[in-house]
Amino acid sequence: MVAKVSTSDPCGLEKVVDSAIAAYAEALRSAGSLLVLEETVWPECEQQAREIIADCIRAIHGPRAELPEQFDAEFSSLELGARRALQHIPAMESLRAAQILTDVVLDALPELMACLPDDVALVRTRRAVRALHQSVHSRVQAALIGYDAFLMRGVNRINSAERARLAREIHDRIGSSLGLAMRLLELHEAEADDPEPGPARIEEAKAALQDTFGFVRELVNGLRAPRSRTSFHKRLLDYVELSCPTGTVVDIHVEGGTAELTALQHDEVFLIIRECLRNAYRHSGATRIDVEVNLGEGVLDTRVTDNGKGIDLSAAKFQSGNGMVSMRERTTAMGGTLSVSNINGRGTRIEFRIPLPAVDRSGEYIS
């Protein structure tokens, strides 16, 4: 609802206010302000300007200098600041608009006070300037608080998600590998006096520890270094080059380069595929693994297929181990689904689908 000056207007103040609003819009337009160029934003901006001018008029023509309903004005400005952040309008736009509006209202003061007697005009001018300053300052301050609060809430949400992701990584990779190494060392001790030596427990323990050290290096490098602009396809190829066992062929096919992922989605999808490959390397005995990533409009479909020995889908060990819990958690956290199937008893296929809502986001492209 647009603020009205009063029901009776003997001084023609409504016309003055409309003229000031038009001058305000024109000044914003000349400055290239998003507040007037965006059709959905200008009505709220105009409403704020009319309320500020109404505060000045009450100070000029009202019986008291105090500004009424400042709590309501500050609360609405708080909400408005949060909406500005959601609309991706820089806070500087609001500060610049406040300065422009202040100049416009100061220029309009003579007309707003035209019907006042000369003996009270000076006092009322001081009152109007004070009211203008207080009204603009309180609204801008509240809007900036709302703007900052919205941004900080987003930062905290991202930080919480990142902490949860790191916790999963550390638990799944470091915890499981160290636990495996400890069990192997305990078996080695138990078999030390066995006249028939068992498997090479020490070598297996060393392999588990080397895997842990490799992950720690990845983790530390990821925390230290700025985000790489390497494409998703190249990132997978680099991993396969470093990790693929001798005698195994991995074919990677990424189709579509228009779908966009946030930085977090980029990492999570890579980690799910990496876990699929790690499981195939270790447990399937496969000689060939095919990775297919299809980036469609609003959805990411991924399929990892091997020609190994297959798995027992009903086994408790499968349900709770081999990184399956972690992969399902990552997929679910992104609103997706994951399924595992055997292929005629000769291999395993893991498929997952991630929805990609068509929203404005500051992530990286997978190409």
Side-chain angles (χ1 to χ4, degrees):
M1 179 182 293
V2 177
K4 294 293 183 180
V5 175
S6 64
T7 53
S8 59
D9 187 19
C11 298
L13 296 179
E14 264 192 52
K15 184 177 180 181
V16 177
V17 171
D18 289 342
S19 178
I21 292 297
Y24 176 48
E26 182 57 33
L28 288 177
R29 204 172 284 110
S30 298
S33 175
L34 295 173
L35 298 179
V36 71
L37 297 178
E38 295 284 345
E39 294 183 0
T40 58
V41 175
W42 168 244
E44 291 179 331
C45 187
E46 178 186 359
Q47 171 69 14
Q48 285 272 305
R50 288 186 178 275
E51 289 176 357
I52 289 170
I53 297 173
D55 286 341
C56 293
I57 291 174
R58 280 192 288 268
I60 295 169
H61 298 281
R64 300 182 54 164
E66 291 82 0
L67 298 179
E69 301 176 353
Q70 281 302 290
F71 177 80
D72 290 340
E74 291 175 2
F75 186 78
S76 64
S77 297
L78 195 73
E79 293 181 313
L80 184 60
R83 283 198 296 277
R84 291 286 182 269
L86 182 62
Q87 293 160 339
H88 303 289
I89 295 177
M92 186 57 67
E93 292 282 355
S94 295
L95 295 174
R96 181 169 58 173
Q99 182 61 55
I100 291 174
L101 179 61
T102 298
D103 292 341
V104 167
V105 177
L106 288 176
D107 290 342
L109 278 183
E111 292 182 84
L112 292 173
M113 295 189 296
C115 64
L116 287 177
D118 292 341
D119 58 339
V120 298
L122 181 59
V123 175
R124 297 297 175 89
T125 299
R126 293 198 198 101
R127 185 187 292 182
V129 171
R130 189 179 301 114
L132 174 62
H133 172 76
Q134 182 178 341
S135 185
V136 170
H137 180 267
S138 62
R139 283 175 166 83
V140 168
Q141 186 178 48
L144 290 177
I145 291 172
Y147 192 98
D148 289 346
F150 183 89
L151 294 182
M152 286 306 300
R153 185 176 64 177
V155 169
N156 289 336
R157 188 182 298 118
I158 291 172
N159 287 341
S160 296
E162 182 65 10
R163 286 196 296 271
R165 184 186 71 81
L166 287 174
R168 285 196 301 269
E169 279 284 278
I170 292 170
H171 177 271
D172 293 345
R173 297 287 299 279
I174 295 181
S176 61
S177 293
L178 289 180
L180 174 59
M182 281 296 298
R183 286 194 296 274
L184 290 169
L185 291 175
E186 289 170 354
L187 285 171
H188 174 74
E189 289 180 348
E191 296 168 351
D193 298 327
D194 194 326
E196 296 183 9
R201 305 295 188 188
I202 293 295
E203 291 302 316
E204 293 178 7
K206 284 172 62 178
L209 291 174
Q210 285 172 352
D211 181 71
T212 302
F213 293 147
F215 167 70
V216 171
R217 281 195 297 270
E218 290 177 18
L219 182 62
V220 172
N221 289 336
L223 292 174
R224 283 179 177 169
R227 178 162 299 283
S228 170
R229 293 294 176 184
T230 302
S231 74
F232 189 73
H233 195 183
K234 177 68 163 53
R235 192 177 179 187
L236 284 173
L237 289 174
D238 289 345
Y239 173 72
V240 169
E241 183 180 354
L242 293 172
S243 64
C244 185
T246 303
T248 301
V249 175
V250 178
D251 183 65
I252 299 173
H253 180 67
V254 178
E255 182 177 346
T258 58
E260 184 183 353
L261 295 188
T262 65
L264 181 60
Q265 288 172 326
H266 185 282
D267 285 341
E268 293 291 89
V269 171
F270 171 77
L271 291 171
I272 294 171
I273 296 174
R274 186 182 69 180
E275 190 62 38
C276 291
L277 291 172
R278 286 167 54 83
N279 282 343
Y281 293 160
R282 290 178 172 181
H283 307 294
S284 73
T287 58
R288 181 179 179 84
I289 305 171
D290 292 290
V291 179
E292 301 169 78
V293 181
N294 185 8
L295 295 156
E297 191 67 31
V299 67
L300 178 145
D301 284 308
T302 303
R303 177 185 296 174
V304 181
T305 308
D306 67 62
N307 66 348
K309 61 185 180 183
I311 54 178
D312 182 357
L313 298 177
S314 64
K317 182 178 179 181
F318 162 73
Q319 296 294 339
S320 60
N322 295 341
M324 286 306 305
V325 173
S326 175
M327 288 193 288
R328 291 189 189 280
E329 284 182 353
R330 293 184 194 282
T331 306
T332 301
M334 292 185 287
T337 57
L338 182 145
S339 64
V340 184
S341 59
N342 282 319
I343 308 171
N344 299 325
R346 295 194 303 273
T348 303
R349 175 173 293 160
I350 298 179
E351 298 176 275
F352 62 92
R353 166 172 281 206
I354 307 295
L356 303 175
V359 297
D360 183 27
R361 62 183 78 205
S362 56
E364 295 179 356
Y365 287 92
I366 290 182
S367 58

